[in-house]
Amino acid sequence: MPKTATLKLPDGKTIDFPVLPGTVGPEVVDIRALYGKAGMFTYDPGFLSTASCSSSITYIDGDAGVLLYRGYPIEQLAQHCDFLEVCYLLLYGELPNRKQKDEFVGIVTHHTMVHEQLARLYQGFRRDAHPMAVMVGVVGALSAFYHDALDINDAHHRTISAFRLIAKMPTIVAMSYKYSIGQPFVYPLNHLSYTANFMRMMFAVPAAEFKVNDVLVRAMDRIFILHADHEQNASTSTVRLSGSSGANPYACIAAGIACLWGPAHGGANEACLEMLEEIGDVSKVGEFIGKVKDKNSGVRLMGFGHRVYKNYDPRAKLMRETCHEVLNELGLHNDRLFRLALALEKIALEDDYFVSRKLYPNVDFYSGIVQRALGIPVAMFTCIFSLARTAGWIAQWQEMITDPEYKIGRPRQLYKGATKRDVKPLDKR
Ligand code: ACO
């Protein structure tokens, strides 16, 4: 007997709704028939209790601090895989074997260059533009270059778009950075790995030889893995909603980048680093925590708290480990901000304000410190996040397009505005 949930309406009528199980995680009440049967909508701003789709890509148990991509724990993926293997996993559902990996790496590697006309697009931006503003524009503009493969109902077109996006994002991000500092663009080199190539495109200059540092490349690769997907977060939902109208994937990813830019989402690591700079010294932590606890101050502890995790974000643990590795490699064992972050975390984790609200460090708490040590300027942090998240966005977009239940996303509303009234002529208002 399939499970149902019964809703009792104000007029006493009852309606049964199917309860659908997932493979793991909370069951959902399928209320799609509610409006047809009762003429009512549900009200759930912020989607606190609403599953907007079904998905087989990423699973989070926020209470237990668990994150799985296609069933694999993030800790194991971070330890045993590189970012392109994770991209393959997100796209195809399984980890690649050696042959599949070589093929995938080959395809991605051969799509890393961008059209020369696209490179010229950068000249239209002010040099002091925020690189995320440039990213929104340039990634959106990709659709003007690849109109040969924009049929979203063609599986081959979708696959090519996914390859192009994953391959070109490092080039586009690095070009945004180079443009902002007035250095020449650096072209990708096919014999380097995806992430080594990115580091080189970011930091090489024609006047000097560039040496790949494996420890730093591994750290950057881990940042990519940890940010690759996170189920139906705000930017992924934006990508899905944009794509639900049939919009092309480049436009959808540009929409995702725009959403990610916000300080409550991808901008949090930038905000976290600014906060650490503002606190300045371990001796000021107590005073700062006092401000955070004072609701009138409007101050939040950036990098703490998460809509879904009510436990330690597993990515934050891995990022803290990477932070140690990178700082050791660079001889920065006593990095002021890292020590400050550790002190802040310790105090917050013992403070009843944070404990009672289940506020724990999220991935952004340490990722800013790692990126800063890698030489990434603060304004580029969210661009790096968007590079990594493109893998998840495009996998989620693909999943949506091939979902037999896929429909244009069209939420309803609780209307609280004026009822019908008549327009008065201008001289009578
Ligand atoms: N510092 C201080 N208090 C906080 C914080 C914080 N960082 N986060 C939540 N709270 C408090 C709220 O004031 C609220 O307290 P109250 O119940 O007394 O009113 C309670 O904890 C619940 O907070 P909400 O804002 O309702 O939680 P929500 O799930 O809506 O917010 C969010 C999640 C936006 C991430 C929030 O925790 C936050 O602003 N954190 C700082 C920004 C940040 O680090 N964002 C990164 C998210 S991860 C990512 O995008 C990769």
Side-chain angles (χ1 to χ4, degrees):
M1 182 80 176
K3 259 196 199 174
T4 56
T6 305
L7 178 69
K8 189 162 176 230
L9 300 175
D11 64 4
K13 200 171 129 193
T14 57
I15 308 176
D16 288 338
F17 295 100
V19 172
L20 310 178
T23 42
V24 58
E27 297 173 321
V28 303
V29 183
D30 176 358
I31 49 98
R32 280 176 290 183
L34 176 65
Y35 183 62
K37 288 189 175 165
M40 277 178 160
F41 300 133
T42 54
Y43 181 61
D44 186 17
F47 297 98
L48 294 174
S49 299
T50 297
S52 61
C53 61
S54 67
S55 179
S56 312
I57 301 177
T58 292
Y59 175 73
I60 304 172
D61 181 339
D63 292 324
V66 167
L67 170 60
L68 313 175
Y69 294 166
R70 301 281 192 185
Y72 294 111
I74 191 69
E75 293 83 355
Q76 292 184 27
L77 293 168
Q79 205 190 338
H80 301 298
C81 301
D82 64 27
F83 178 62
L84 282 188
E85 286 172 75
V86 169
C87 289
Y88 187 100
L89 173 70
L90 292 171
L91 284 172
Y92 296 108
E94 295 298 336
L95 282 166
N97 59 29
R98 167 59 60 198
K99 185 166 167 280
Q100 290 163 329
K101 180 177 175 182
D102 290 347
E103 263 171 36
F104 186 65
V105 170
I107 293 170
V108 170
T109 304
H110 287 91
H111 278 90
T112 49
M113 281 174 67
V114 295
H115 196 292
E116 276 301 299
Q117 286 299 120
L118 189 85
R120 293 207 194 162
L121 197 66
Y122 285 82
Q123 318 299 325
F125 290 99
R126 288 170 54 134
R127 294 264 179 200
D128 60 357
H130 194 290
M132 281 298 273
V134 177
M135 293 287 301
V136 173
V138 173
V139 173
L142 283 173
S143 46
F145 289 82
Y146 302 113
H147 44 76
D148 57 320
L150 290 184
D151 180 358
I152 61 151
N153 298 313
D154 181 320
H156 182 59
H157 284 199
R158 290 198 303 271
T159 304
I160 295 244
S161 302
F163 291 157
R164 281 181 173 148
L165 276 157
I166 290 170
K168 292 180 201 309
M169 278 301 275
T171 317
I172 291 171
V173 170
M175 286 165 86
S176 304
Y177 174 53
K178 288 297 195 192
Y179 183 72
S180 73
I181 55 169
Q183 287 186 2
F185 295 149
V186 176
Y187 287 83
L189 269 187
N190 282 355
H191 72 268
L192 291 180
S193 72
Y194 184 87
T195 304
N197 227 333
F198 173 64
M199 299 288 267
R200 184 178 162 276
M201 288 190 286
M202 284 287 288
F203 300 119
V205 287
E209 196 191 332
F210 178 80
K211 274 218 164 82
V212 173
N213 178 320
D214 290 336
V215 175
L216 305 189
V217 167
R218 220 177 20 252
M220 181 55 78
D221 200 73
R222 181 174 272 196
I223 291 177
F224 292 165
I225 292 173
L226 301 188
H227 289 85
D229 197 48
H230 215 223
E231 51 119 312
Q232 308 310 321
N233 57 84
S235 57
T236 302
S237 298
T238 301
V239 170
R240 278 187 179 255
L241 194 57
S242 315
S244 76
S245 70
N248 74 71
Y250 305 103
C252 297
I253 301 299
I257 294 173
C259 177
L260 187 72
W261 193 1
H265 192 4
N269 52 13
E270 189 171 334
C272 180
L273 207 58
E274 278 162 13
M275 174 193 77
L276 293 173
E277 289 285 8
E278 193 191 308
I279 300 171
D281 191 78
V282 176
S283 63
K284 301 272 170 53
V285 167
E287 190 188 320
F288 181 78
I289 294 276
K291 268 199 237 164
V292 170
K293 287 158 68 175
D294 173 7
K295 290 278 175 188
N296 299 320
S297 73
V299 177
R300 281 200 166 195
L301 180 51
M302 299 312 286
F304 255 70
H306 196 275
R307 171 59 61 79
V308 181
Y309 292 114
K310 302 301 168 197
N311 198 329
Y312 215 107
D313 177 344
R315 302 168 303 168
K317 271 190 202 141
L318 292 159
M319 199 43 79
R320 193 174 56 185
E321 196 180 285
T322 298
C323 213
H324 274 294
E325 279 167 23
V326 167
L327 296 175
N328 280 343
E329 172 69 13
L330 298 172
L332 301 169
H333 324 265
N334 282 324
D335 180 75
R336 183 176 57 91
L337 293 192
F338 185 47
R339 282 168 27 138
L340 184 54
L342 289 174
L344 199 55
E345 179 192 330
K346 187 167 184 303
I347 292 173
L349 290 180
E350 285 166 1
D351 192 301
D352 186 56
Y353 176 94
F354 298 94
V355 175
S356 63
R357 288 173 179 77
K358 300 188 177 168
L359 299 170
Y360 292 87
N362 61 51
V363 64
D364 291 318
F365 195 65
Y366 290 107
S367 70
I369 301 174
V370 176
Q371 294 191 61
R372 175 172 150 276
L374 293 175
I376 311 277
V378 172
M380 291 300 299
F381 288 0
T382 323
C383 300
I384 305 241
F385 190 164
S386 69
L387 182 173
R389 186 56 58 85
T390 294
W393 286 334
I394 200 69
Q396 299 263 356
W397 172 82
Q398 282 259 40
E399 185 183 59
M400 177 187 73
I401 304 286
T402 50
D403 182 346
E405 300 198 331
Y406 146 65
K407 276 189 182 325
I408 186 167
R410 177 49 171 99
R412 304 306 292 256
Q413 63 174 4
L414 172 64
Y415 179 67
K416 289 195 157 179
T419 52
K420 182 171 176 292
R421 49 189 176 153
D422 294 321
V423 176
K424 289 187 187 140
L426 191 55
D427 57 352
K428 300 250 169 66
R429 282 177 228 156

Coordinates of all heavy atoms in Angstrom, one line a residue, residues 114-123 137-139 141-142 145-146 168 172 175 185:
V114 N 39.7 29.7 -26.0 CA 38.4 30.4 -26.3 C 38.7 31.2 -27.7 O 39.8 31.4 -28.1 CB 38.0 31.5 -25.2 CG1 37.7 30.8 -23.9 CG2 39.1 32.5 -25.0
H115 N 37.6 31.4 -28.3 CA 37.6 32.1 -29.6 C 38.3 33.5 -29.4 O 38.1 34.2 -28.4 CB 36.1 32.3 -30.0 CG 36.0 32.7 -31.5 ND1 36.4 33.9 -32.0 CD2 35.4 32.0 -32.5 CE1 36.1 33.9 -33.3 NE2 35.5 32.8 -33.6
E116 N 39.1 33.9 -30.4 CA 39.9 35.1 -30.3 C 38.9 36.3 -30.1 O 39.2 37.3 -29.5 CB 40.8 35.3 -31.4 CG 42.1 34.6 -31.3 CD 42.9 35.1 -30.0 OE1 43.3 36.3 -29.9 OE2 43.2 34.2 -29.2
Q117 N 37.7 36.2 -30.8 CA 36.8 37.4 -30.7 C 36.3 37.5 -29.2 O 36.0 38.6 -28.8 CB 35.6 37.1 -31.6 CG 35.9 37.4 -33.1 CD 36.4 38.8 -33.3 OE1 37.5 39.0 -33.8 NE2 35.6 39.8 -33.0
L118 N 36.2 36.3 -28.6 CA 35.7 36.3 -27.2 C 36.8 37.1 -26.3 O 36.4 37.8 -25.4 CB 35.5 34.9 -26.6 CG 34.8 34.9 -25.3 CD1 33.3 35.0 -25.4 CD2 35.1 33.7 -24.5
A119 N 38.0 36.8 -26.6 CA 39.1 37.5 -25.9 C 39.0 39.0 -26.0 O 39.3 39.7 -25.1 CB 40.5 37.0 -26.4
R120 N 38.5 39.4 -27.2 CA 38.4 40.9 -27.4 C 37.3 41.5 -26.6 O 37.3 42.7 -26.4 CB 38.2 41.2 -28.9 CG 39.4 40.8 -29.7 CD 39.4 41.6 -31.0 NE 40.3 41.0 -31.9 CZ 40.4 41.3 -33.1 NH1 39.5 42.1 -33.7 NH2 41.3 40.7 -33.9
L121 N 36.3 40.7 -26.3 CA 35.2 41.2 -25.5 C 35.7 41.9 -24.2 O 35.1 42.8 -23.7 CB 34.3 40.0 -25.1 CG 32.9 40.3 -24.7 CD1 32.1 40.9 -25.8 CD2 32.2 38.9 -24.3
Y122 N 36.7 41.3 -23.6 CA 37.2 41.9 -22.4 C 37.6 43.4 -22.5 O 37.4 44.1 -21.5 CB 38.5 41.1 -21.9 CG 38.2 39.7 -21.4 CD1 38.0 38.6 -22.2 CD2 38.1 39.5 -20.0 CE1 37.7 37.4 -21.7 CE2 37.9 38.3 -19.5 CZ 37.7 37.2 -20.3 OH 37.4 35.9 -19.8
Q123 N 38.0 43.8 -23.6 CA 38.5 45.2 -23.8 C 37.3 46.1 -23.5 O 37.5 47.3 -23.3 CB 39.0 45.5 -25.2 CG 39.9 44.4 -25.8 CD 41.1 44.2 -25.0 OE1 41.7 45.1 -24.4 NE2 41.6 42.9 -24.9
G137 N 29.2 38.5 -17.9 CA 29.1 39.0 -19.3 C 29.7 38.0 -20.2 O 29.1 37.6 -21.3
V138 N 31.0 37.5 -19.9 CA 31.7 36.7 -20.9 C 31.1 35.3 -21.0 O 30.9 34.8 -22.1 CB 33.2 36.6 -20.4 CG1 34.0 35.6 -21.3 CG2 33.9 38.0 -20.5
V139 N 30.7 34.7 -19.9 CA 30.1 33.4 -20.0 C 28.7 33.4 -20.7 O 28.5 32.6 -21.6 CB 29.9 32.7 -18.6 CG1 29.2 31.4 -18.6 CG2 31.3 32.5 -17.9
A141 N 28.1 35.5 -23.0 CA 28.4 35.7 -24.4 C 28.9 34.5 -25.1 O 28.8 34.4 -26.4 CB 29.5 36.8 -24.5
L142 N 29.2 33.4 -24.4 CA 29.6 32.2 -25.1 C 28.6 31.7 -26.0 O 28.8 31.1 -27.1 CB 30.0 31.1 -24.1 CG 31.3 31.1 -23.3 CD1 31.3 30.1 -22.2 CD2 32.5 31.0 -24.2
F145 N 28.9 32.4 -29.5 CA 30.0 31.8 -30.3 C 29.7 30.4 -30.7 O 30.3 29.8 -31.5 CB 31.2 31.8 -29.4 CG 31.8 33.2 -29.3 CD1 31.3 34.1 -28.4 CD2 32.8 33.7 -30.2 CE1 31.8 35.4 -28.3 CE2 33.3 35.0 -30.1 CZ 32.8 35.8 -29.2
Y146 N 28.7 29.8 -30.0 CA 28.5 28.3 -30.2 C 27.0 28.0 -30.6 O 26.4 27.1 -30.1 CB 28.9 27.5 -28.9 CG 30.4 27.8 -28.6 CD1 30.7 28.4 -27.5 CD2 31.3 27.4 -29.5 CE1 32.1 28.7 -27.2 CE2 32.7 27.6 -29.3 CZ 33.0 28.3 -28.1 OH 34.3 28.6 -27.9
K168 N 36.5 25.6 -20.7 CA 36.8 27.0 -20.9 C 36.7 27.9 -19.6 O 37.3 29.0 -19.6 CB 35.9 27.6 -21.9 CG 36.2 27.0 -23.3 CD 35.3 27.6 -24.4 CE 35.2 26.7 -25.6 NZ 36.5 26.2 -26.2
I172 N 38.6 31.4 -18.9 CA 37.8 32.7 -18.8 C 38.1 33.4 -17.4 O 38.2 34.6 -17.4 CB 36.3 32.4 -19.0 CG1 36.1 32.0 -20.4 CG2 35.4 33.5 -18.5 CD1 34.7 31.4 -20.7
M175 N 41.6 34.8 -17.6 CA 41.6 36.0 -18.4 C 41.0 37.2 -17.7 O 41.4 38.4 -17.8 CB 40.8 35.8 -19.7 CG 41.6 34.9 -20.7 SD 40.6 34.2 -22.0 CE 40.7 35.6 -23.2
F185 N 47.0 38.0 -21.6 CA 46.4 36.7 -21.4 C 47.4 35.6 -21.6 O 48.3 35.7 -22.5 CB 45.2 36.5 -22.4 CG 44.1 37.4 -22.2 CD1 43.3 37.8 -23.3 CD2 43.7 37.9 -21.0 CE1 42.3 38.7 -23.2 CE2 42.7 38.8 -20.8 CZ 41.9 39.2 -21.9

